[in-house]
PDB file of all heavy atoms in Angstrom:
ATOM      1  N   LEU A  19       6.917  -5.787   3.620  1.00 97.00           N
ATOM      2  CA  LEU A  19       5.958  -4.842   3.052  1.00 97.00           C
ATOM      3  C   LEU A  19       6.315  -4.414   1.630  1.00 97.00           C
ATOM      4  O   LEU A  19       5.536  -3.730   0.970  1.00 97.00           O
ATOM      5  CB  LEU A  19       5.821  -3.605   3.945  1.00 97.00           C
ATOM      6  CG  LEU A  19       5.166  -3.832   5.300  1.00 97.00           C
ATOM      7  CD1 LEU A  19       5.188  -2.547   6.111  1.00 97.00           C
ATOM      8  CD2 LEU A  19       3.743  -4.345   5.138  1.00 97.00           C
ATOM      9  N   ALA A  20       7.468  -4.835   1.128  1.00 95.00           N
ATOM     10  CA  ALA A  20       7.849  -4.524  -0.252  1.00 95.00           C
ATOM     11  C   ALA A  20       7.116  -5.425  -1.248  1.00 95.00           C
ATOM     12  O   ALA A  20       7.160  -5.190  -2.453  1.00 95.00           O
ATOM     13  CB  ALA A  20       9.359  -4.675  -0.432  1.00 95.00           C
ATOM     14  N   LYS A  21       6.415  -6.416  -0.745  1.00 95.00           N
ATOM     15  CA  LYS A  21       5.686  -7.359  -1.604  1.00 95.00           C
ATOM     16  C   LYS A  21       4.581  -6.628  -2.371  1.00 95.00           C
ATOM     17  O   LYS A  21       3.837  -5.832  -1.786  1.00 95.00           O
ATOM     18  CB  LYS A  21       5.087  -8.468  -0.740  1.00 95.00           C
ATOM     19  CG  LYS A  21       4.352  -9.521  -1.515  1.00 95.00           C
ATOM     20  CD  LYS A  21       3.809 -10.594  -0.587  1.00 95.00           C
ATOM     21  CE  LYS A  21       3.025 -11.612  -1.389  1.00 95.00           C
ATOM     22  NZ  LYS A  21       2.314 -12.541  -0.538  1.00 95.00           N
ATOM     23  N   PRO A  22       4.456  -6.908  -3.664  1.00 94.00           N
ATOM     24  CA  PRO A  22       3.356  -6.293  -4.431  1.00 94.00           C
ATOM     25  C   PRO A  22       1.998  -6.691  -3.853  1.00 94.00           C
ATOM     26  O   PRO A  22       1.808  -7.821  -3.422  1.00 94.00           O
ATOM     27  CB  PRO A  22       3.528  -6.870  -5.832  1.00 94.00           C
ATOM     28  CG  PRO A  22       4.960  -7.292  -5.903  1.00 94.00           C
ATOM     29  CD  PRO A  22       5.319  -7.722  -4.506  1.00 94.00           C
ATOM     30  N   ILE A  23       1.065  -5.754  -3.865  1.00 97.00           N
ATOM     31  CA  ILE A  23      -0.262  -6.014  -3.302  1.00 97.00           C
ATOM     32  C   ILE A  23      -1.255  -6.444  -4.374  1.00 97.00           C
ATOM     33  O   ILE A  23      -2.155  -7.231  -4.114  1.00 97.00           O
ATOM     34  CB  ILE A  23      -0.798  -4.796  -2.500  1.00 97.00           C
ATOM     35  CG1 ILE A  23      -2.030  -5.163  -1.689  1.00 97.00           C
ATOM     36  CG2 ILE A  23      -1.060  -3.598  -3.380  1.00 97.00           C
ATOM     37  CD1 ILE A  23      -1.772  -6.040  -0.507  1.00 97.00           C
ATOM     38  N   VAL A  24      -1.097  -5.953  -5.604  1.00 96.00           N
ATOM     39  CA  VAL A  24      -2.003  -6.292  -6.707  1.00 96.00           C
ATOM     40  C   VAL A  24      -1.158  -6.811  -7.864  1.00 96.00           C
ATOM     41  O   VAL A  24      -0.285  -6.099  -8.369  1.00 96.00           O
ATOM     42  CB  VAL A  24      -2.826  -5.068  -7.169  1.00 96.00           C
ATOM     43  CG1 VAL A  24      -3.728  -5.427  -8.347  1.00 96.00           C
ATOM     44  CG2 VAL A  24      -3.651  -4.497  -6.018  1.00 96.00           C
ATOM     45  N   GLU A  25      -1.433  -8.029  -8.265  1.00 94.00           N
ATOM     46  CA  GLU A  25      -0.665  -8.640  -9.350  1.00 94.00           C
ATOM     47  C   GLU A  25      -0.710  -7.764 -10.606  1.00 94.00           C
ATOM     48  O   GLU A  25      -1.769  -7.299 -11.023  1.00 94.00           O
ATOM     49  CB  GLU A  25      -1.231 -10.023  -9.674  1.00 94.00           C
ATOM     50  CG  GLU A  25      -0.428 -10.766 -10.710  1.00 94.00           C
ATOM     51  CD  GLU A  25      -0.980 -12.142 -11.001  1.00 94.00           C
ATOM     52  OE1 GLU A  25      -1.759 -12.688 -10.199  1.00 94.00           O
ATOM     53  OE2 GLU A  25      -0.618 -12.671 -12.058  1.00 94.00           O
ATOM     54  N   GLY A  26       0.474  -7.518 -11.162  1.00 90.00           N
ATOM     55  CA  GLY A  26       0.576  -6.745 -12.389  1.00 90.00           C
ATOM     56  C   GLY A  26       0.710  -5.253 -12.203  1.00 90.00           C
ATOM     57  O   GLY A  26       0.912  -4.524 -13.170  1.00 90.00           O
ATOM     58  N   LEU A  27       0.598  -4.781 -10.975  1.00 90.00           N
ATOM     59  CA  LEU A  27       0.741  -3.350 -10.691  1.00 90.00           C
ATOM     60  C   LEU A  27       1.911  -3.148  -9.733  1.00 90.00           C
ATOM     61  O   LEU A  27       2.236  -4.042  -8.957  1.00 90.00           O
ATOM     62  CB  LEU A  27      -0.543  -2.787 -10.073  1.00 90.00           C
ATOM     63  CG  LEU A  27      -1.782  -2.813 -10.965  1.00 90.00           C
ATOM     64  CD1 LEU A  27      -2.991  -2.263 -10.208  1.00 90.00           C
ATOM     65  CD2 LEU A  27      -1.562  -2.023 -12.240  1.00 90.00           C
ATOM     66  N   PRO A  28       2.524  -1.974  -9.754  1.00 89.00           N
ATOM     67  CA  PRO A  28       3.730  -1.751  -8.949  1.00 89.00           C
ATOM     68  C   PRO A  28       3.488  -1.443  -7.474  1.00 89.00           C
ATOM     69  O   PRO A  28       4.436  -1.223  -6.729  1.00 89.00           O
ATOM     70  CB  PRO A  28       4.394  -0.560  -9.642  1.00 89.00           C
ATOM     71  CG  PRO A  28       3.258   0.203 -10.229  1.00 89.00           C
ATOM     72  CD  PRO A  28       2.260  -0.851 -10.654  1.00 89.00           C
ATOM     73  N   TYR A  29       2.262  -1.429  -7.037  1.00 94.00           N
ATOM     74  CA  TYR A  29       1.960  -1.036  -5.667  1.00 94.00           C
ATOM     75  C   TYR A  29       2.332  -2.123  -4.668  1.00 94.00           C
ATOM     76  O   TYR A  29       2.151  -3.296  -4.926  1.00 94.00           O
ATOM     77  CB  TYR A  29       0.480  -0.667  -5.540  1.00 94.00           C
ATOM     78  CG  TYR A  29       0.112   0.406  -6.514  1.00 94.00           C
ATOM     79  CD1 TYR A  29      -0.563   0.097  -7.680  1.00 94.00           C
ATOM     80  CD2 TYR A  29       0.506   1.716  -6.301  1.00 94.00           C
ATOM     81  CE1 TYR A  29      -0.873   1.075  -8.604  1.00 94.00           C
ATOM     82  CE2 TYR A  29       0.211   2.703  -7.217  1.00 94.00           C
ATOM     83  CZ  TYR A  29      -0.476   2.383  -8.373  1.00 94.00           C
ATOM     84  OH  TYR A  29      -0.764   3.357  -9.289  1.00 94.00           O
ATOM     85  N   THR A  30       2.821  -1.688  -3.504  1.00 96.00           N
ATOM     86  CA  THR A  30       3.299  -2.611  -2.477  1.00 96.00           C
ATOM     87  C   THR A  30       2.373  -2.608  -1.260  1.00 96.00           C
ATOM     88  O   THR A  30       1.546  -1.704  -1.097  1.00 96.00           O
ATOM     89  CB  THR A  30       4.710  -2.211  -2.007  1.00 96.00           C
ATOM     90  OG1 THR A  30       4.622  -0.930  -1.363  1.00 96.00           O
ATOM     91  CG2 THR A  30       5.704  -2.173  -3.150  1.00 96.00           C
ATOM     92  N   GLU A  31       2.580  -3.604  -0.419  1.00 98.00           N
ATOM     93  CA  GLU A  31       1.829  -3.648   0.841  1.00 98.00           C
ATOM     94  C   GLU A  31       2.131  -2.417   1.692  1.00 98.00           C
ATOM     95  O   GLU A  31       1.262  -1.924   2.412  1.00 98.00           O
ATOM     96  CB  GLU A  31       2.140  -4.931   1.591  1.00 98.00           C
ATOM     97  CG  GLU A  31       1.587  -6.165   0.903  1.00 98.00           C
ATOM     98  CD  GLU A  31       1.758  -7.439   1.698  1.00 98.00           C
ATOM     99  OE1 GLU A  31       2.254  -7.388   2.848  1.00 98.00           O
ATOM    100  OE2 GLU A  31       1.370  -8.498   1.172  1.00 98.00           O
ATOM    101  N   ALA A  32       3.347  -1.904   1.601  1.00 98.00           N
ATOM    102  CA  ALA A  32       3.707  -0.699   2.353  1.00 98.00           C
ATOM    103  C   ALA A  32       2.829   0.477   1.959  1.00 98.00           C
ATOM    104  O   ALA A  32       2.506   1.331   2.801  1.00 98.00           O
ATOM    105  CB  ALA A  32       5.174  -0.353   2.136  1.00 98.00           C
ATOM    106  N   GLU A  33       2.410   0.518   0.713  1.00 98.00           N
ATOM    107  CA  GLU A  33       1.566   1.612   0.267  1.00 98.00           C
ATOM    108  C   GLU A  33       0.164   1.523   0.861  1.00 98.00           C
ATOM    109  O   GLU A  33      -0.492   2.552   1.064  1.00 98.00           O
ATOM    110  CB  GLU A  33       1.534   1.661  -1.260  1.00 98.00           C
ATOM    111  CG  GLU A  33       2.886   2.093  -1.814  1.00 98.00           C
ATOM    112  CD  GLU A  33       2.974   2.005  -3.304  1.00 98.00           C
ATOM    113  OE1 GLU A  33       2.533   2.976  -3.970  1.00 98.00           O
ATOM    114  OE2 GLU A  33       3.478   0.976  -3.808  1.00 98.00           O
ATOM    115  N   VAL A  34      -0.277   0.322   1.162  1.00 98.00           N
ATOM    116  CA  VAL A  34      -1.553   0.155   1.857  1.00 98.00           C
ATOM    117  C   VAL A  34      -1.408   0.692   3.280  1.00 98.00           C
ATOM    118  O   VAL A  34      -2.263   1.443   3.767  1.00 98.00           O
ATOM    119  CB  VAL A  34      -2.007  -1.315   1.857  1.00 98.00           C
ATOM    120  CG1 VAL A  34      -3.288  -1.481   2.680  1.00 98.00           C
ATOM    121  CG2 VAL A  34      -2.192  -1.829   0.439  1.00 98.00           C
ATOM    122  N   VAL A  35      -0.324   0.325   3.940  1.00 98.00           N
ATOM    123  CA  VAL A  35      -0.072   0.819   5.304  1.00 98.00           C
ATOM    124  C   VAL A  35       0.018   2.350   5.284  1.00 98.00           C
ATOM    125  O   VAL A  35      -0.581   3.026   6.127  1.00 98.00           O
ATOM    126  CB  VAL A  35       1.210   0.190   5.893  1.00 98.00           C
ATOM    127  CG1 VAL A  35       1.553   0.820   7.242  1.00 98.00           C
ATOM    128  CG2 VAL A  35       1.053  -1.323   6.021  1.00 98.00           C
ATOM    129  N   TYR A  36       0.735   2.895   4.318  1.00 98.00           N
ATOM    130  CA  TYR A  36       0.853   4.350   4.187  1.00 98.00           C
ATOM    131  C   TYR A  36      -0.531   4.986   4.011  1.00 98.00           C
ATOM    132  O   TYR A  36      -0.842   6.010   4.636  1.00 98.00           O
ATOM    133  CB  TYR A  36       1.763   4.708   3.012  1.00 98.00           C
ATOM    134  CG  TYR A  36       1.847   6.185   2.763  1.00 98.00           C
ATOM    135  CD1 TYR A  36       2.753   6.982   3.468  1.00 98.00           C
ATOM    136  CD2 TYR A  36       1.012   6.811   1.841  1.00 98.00           C
ATOM    137  CE1 TYR A  36       2.823   8.349   3.247  1.00 98.00           C
ATOM    138  CE2 TYR A  36       1.070   8.176   1.622  1.00 98.00           C
ATOM    139  CZ  TYR A  36       1.976   8.938   2.325  1.00 98.00           C
ATOM    140  OH  TYR A  36       2.034  10.293   2.116  1.00 98.00           O
ATOM    141  N   ALA A  37      -1.359   4.386   3.148  1.00 98.00           N
ATOM    142  CA  ALA A  37      -2.696   4.935   2.904  1.00 98.00           C
ATOM    143  C   ALA A  37      -3.512   5.000   4.189  1.00 98.00           C
ATOM    144  O   ALA A  37      -4.244   5.958   4.420  1.00 98.00           O
ATOM    145  CB  ALA A  37      -3.416   4.099   1.848  1.00 98.00           C
ATOM    146  N   VAL A  38      -3.374   3.988   5.028  1.00 98.00           N
ATOM    147  CA  VAL A  38      -4.098   3.977   6.304  1.00 98.00           C
ATOM    148  C   VAL A  38      -3.524   5.009   7.262  1.00 98.00           C
ATOM    149  O   VAL A  38      -4.258   5.809   7.851  1.00 98.00           O
ATOM    150  CB  VAL A  38      -4.063   2.567   6.940  1.00 98.00           C
ATOM    151  CG1 VAL A  38      -4.644   2.586   8.344  1.00 98.00           C
ATOM    152  CG2 VAL A  38      -4.786   1.556   6.064  1.00 98.00           C
ATOM    153  N   ARG A  39      -2.221   5.004   7.416  1.00 97.00           N
ATOM    154  CA  ARG A  39      -1.588   5.861   8.426  1.00 97.00           C
ATOM    155  C   ARG A  39      -1.517   7.334   8.039  1.00 97.00           C
ATOM    156  O   ARG A  39      -1.592   8.211   8.907  1.00 97.00           O
ATOM    157  CB  ARG A  39      -0.171   5.367   8.713  1.00 97.00           C
ATOM    158  CG  ARG A  39      -0.139   4.034   9.412  1.00 97.00           C
ATOM    159  CD  ARG A  39       1.281   3.620   9.715  1.00 97.00           C
ATOM    160  NE  ARG A  39       1.337   2.267  10.265  1.00 97.00           N
ATOM    161  CZ  ARG A  39       2.468   1.640  10.538  1.00 97.00           C
ATOM    162  NH1 ARG A  39       3.633   2.239  10.320  1.00 97.00           N
ATOM    163  NH2 ARG A  39       2.431   0.408  11.028  1.00 97.00           N
ATOM    164  N   HIS A  40      -1.360   7.635   6.761  1.00 96.00           N
ATOM    165  CA  HIS A  40      -1.115   9.021   6.350  1.00 96.00           C
ATOM    166  C   HIS A  40      -2.219   9.631   5.496  1.00 96.00           C
ATOM    167  O   HIS A  40      -2.269  10.854   5.340  1.00 96.00           O
ATOM    168  CB  HIS A  40       0.209   9.121   5.602  1.00 96.00           C
ATOM    169  CG  HIS A  40       1.389   8.733   6.434  1.00 96.00           C
ATOM    170  ND1 HIS A  40       2.015   9.600   7.289  1.00 96.00           N
ATOM    171  CD2 HIS A  40       2.042   7.548   6.568  1.00 96.00           C
ATOM    172  CE1 HIS A  40       3.008   8.984   7.901  1.00 96.00           C
ATOM    173  NE2 HIS A  40       3.045   7.737   7.490  1.00 96.00           N
ATOM    174  N   GLU A  41      -3.067   8.795   4.910  1.00 96.00           N
ATOM    175  CA  GLU A  41      -4.122   9.313   4.038  1.00 96.00           C
ATOM    176  C   GLU A  41      -5.518   9.008   4.583  1.00 96.00           C
ATOM    177  O   GLU A  41      -6.508   9.294   3.930  1.00 96.00           O
ATOM    178  CB  GLU A  41      -3.977   8.720   2.638  1.00 96.00           C
ATOM    179  CG  GLU A  41      -2.677   9.109   1.951  1.00 96.00           C
ATOM    180  CD  GLU A  41      -2.502   8.448   0.590  1.00 96.00           C
ATOM    181  OE1 GLU A  41      -3.121   7.382   0.342  1.00 96.00           O
ATOM    182  OE2 GLU A  41      -1.757   9.004  -0.228  1.00 96.00           O
ATOM    183  N   LEU A  42      -5.580   8.404   5.760  1.00 97.00           N
ATOM    184  CA  LEU A  42      -6.827   8.097   6.459  1.00 97.00           C
ATOM    185  C   LEU A  42      -7.727   7.118   5.709  1.00 97.00           C
ATOM    186  O   LEU A  42      -8.949   7.142   5.870  1.00 97.00           O
ATOM    187  CB  LEU A  42      -7.589   9.382   6.802  1.00 97.00           C
ATOM    188  CG  LEU A  42      -6.810  10.407   7.633  1.00 97.00           C
ATOM    189  CD1 LEU A  42      -7.644  11.651   7.862  1.00 97.00           C
ATOM    190  CD2 LEU A  42      -6.342   9.812   8.944  1.00 97.00           C
ATOM    191  N   ALA A  43      -7.150   6.256   4.889  1.00 98.00           N
ATOM    192  CA  ALA A  43      -7.936   5.207   4.242  1.00 98.00           C
ATOM    193  C   ALA A  43      -8.444   4.259   5.323  1.00 98.00           C
ATOM    194  O   ALA A  43      -7.718   3.928   6.257  1.00 98.00           O
ATOM    195  CB  ALA A  43      -7.087   4.455   3.231  1.00 98.00           C
ATOM    196  N   SER A  44      -9.688   3.806   5.168  1.00 97.00           N
ATOM    197  CA  SER A  44     -10.242   2.954   6.223  1.00 97.00           C
ATOM    198  C   SER A  44     -11.019   1.748   5.707  1.00 97.00           C
ATOM    199  O   SER A  44     -11.525   0.967   6.504  1.00 97.00           O
ATOM    200  CB  SER A  44     -11.142   3.773   7.145  1.00 97.00           C
ATOM    201  OG  SER A  44     -12.214   4.325   6.410  1.00 97.00           O
TER     202      SER A  44
END
């Protein structure tokens, strides 16, 4: 999950999981 999710930006796949689990992103 440490893999970057968007090329050129620092965001990781873990941040997508976090957004779903803790921020109710759907």
Side-chain angles (χ1 to χ4, degrees):
L19 292 176
K21 182 179 178 189
I23 192 72
V24 178
E25 184 179 342
L27 296 178
Y29 304 102
T30 65
E31 291 186 4
E33 291 173 84
V34 176
V35 174
Y36 176 85
V38 172
R39 292 182 186 176
H40 298 276
E41 297 177 337
L42 304 178
S44 61

